[in-house]
Amino acid sequence: MDGGTMVGFGHKQAWLAVRDGAAAVAALGLRDLGPAPWRTAVDMAYLTDNRLVVTPPLPGAGGAWQLVAGRWLMLRYHDLDIAKLSVDLGTEVQLFATHRVVETHRWARAAHGTVLREFGYAGDTGELVAWHGRPDEVETALGLPAEPDDDVDILVSEHDVMTVARAWSVDPTSIDRQPAAGPPRVAAA
């Protein structure tokens, strides 16, 4: 199976970005079901609760990144310990989630067992649900304050999640219709 053309994703989705394509499937306790055409793999990630798309390594900020995406992560990202995952994989791990209907937007990054930054926003209530570490220049350019402040309204969107993903690793919407180096794989929970 050749790589074909990639299919982007990201809206109404959750995904991990793993630096250097470490063995995330095994570390998450998933079963590798093998390669699949891009459209099939992405559709399975969106339409099922127990299938994930696993990209081949993609060029991005600071090197190559493997993305693992699916509703399974969207349903479990609150419980996912990315600090532990970064130790298990021996590399940086990032988590992104966005769903515009309920306006849930989240991003986090961890390396060497430490959460370096985490941000979570529940737009349906306007509540800041996660804040750890200081925002970087990309986040402050989006309008985030240096520290959470009850007097400052925080408004983020799925576009902002993609902006942070692009700055930190890979914006998965940007891969749409690009030539693929190889097919993605499908993993089962």
Side-chain angles (χ1 to χ4, degrees):
M1 177 181 303
D2 69 11
T5 302
M6 293 189 282
V7 175
F9 56 88
H11 301 289
K12 294 182 177 179
Q13 190 59 275
W15 69 95
L16 294 172
V18 180
R19 185 181 292 279
D20 300 323
V25 170
L28 290 166
L30 305 173
R31 278 185 305 123
D32 184 348
L33 300 179
W38 277 90
R39 170 55 58 202
T40 301
V42 171
D43 283 353
M44 289 177 83
Y46 270 96
L47 300 174
T48 68
D49 290 344
N50 64 349
R51 297 291 187 266
L52 296 94
V53 59
V54 182
T55 70
L58 302 171
W65 296 87
Q66 181 181 62
L67 306 182
V68 180
R71 286 174 41 133
W72 184 82
L73 285 170
M74 182 63 90
L75 298 170
R76 289 164 182 76
Y77 71 82
H78 293 88
D79 301 322
L80 191 62
D81 186 346
I82 65 167
K84 180 181 181 317
L85 195 55
S86 74
V87 169
D88 293 347
L89 296 173
T91 192
E92 183 176 349
V93 176
Q94 301 169 1
L95 169 70
F96 300 93
T98 183
H99 198 292
R100 68 179 169 261
V101 175
V102 294
E103 290 297 328
T104 292
H105 308 294
R106 183 177 286 259
W107 54 80
R109 69 190 314 179
H112 311 292
T114 301
V115 174
L116 305 170
R117 176 72 179 125
E118 183 175 17
F119 171 84
Y121 175 74
D124 58 343
T125 62
E127 183 181 1
L128 186 63
V129 295
W131 185 288
H132 178 83
R134 295 189 60 84
D136 63 17
E137 61 280 353
V138 173
E139 294 172 282
T140 56
L142 294 174
L144 290 185
E147 295 288 335
D149 184 341
D150 289 339
D151 295 331
V152 176
D153 288 332
I154 295 177
L155 297 173
V156 295
S157 70
E158 65 187 359
H159 174 75
D160 298 326
V161 176
M162 303 310 158
T163 299
V164 173
R166 180 175 41 259
W168 288 2
S169 53
V170 176
D171 169 1
T173 65
S174 71
I175 68 173
D176 198 47
R177 299 186 182 136
Q178 299 299 314
R185 301 183 74 78
V186 173

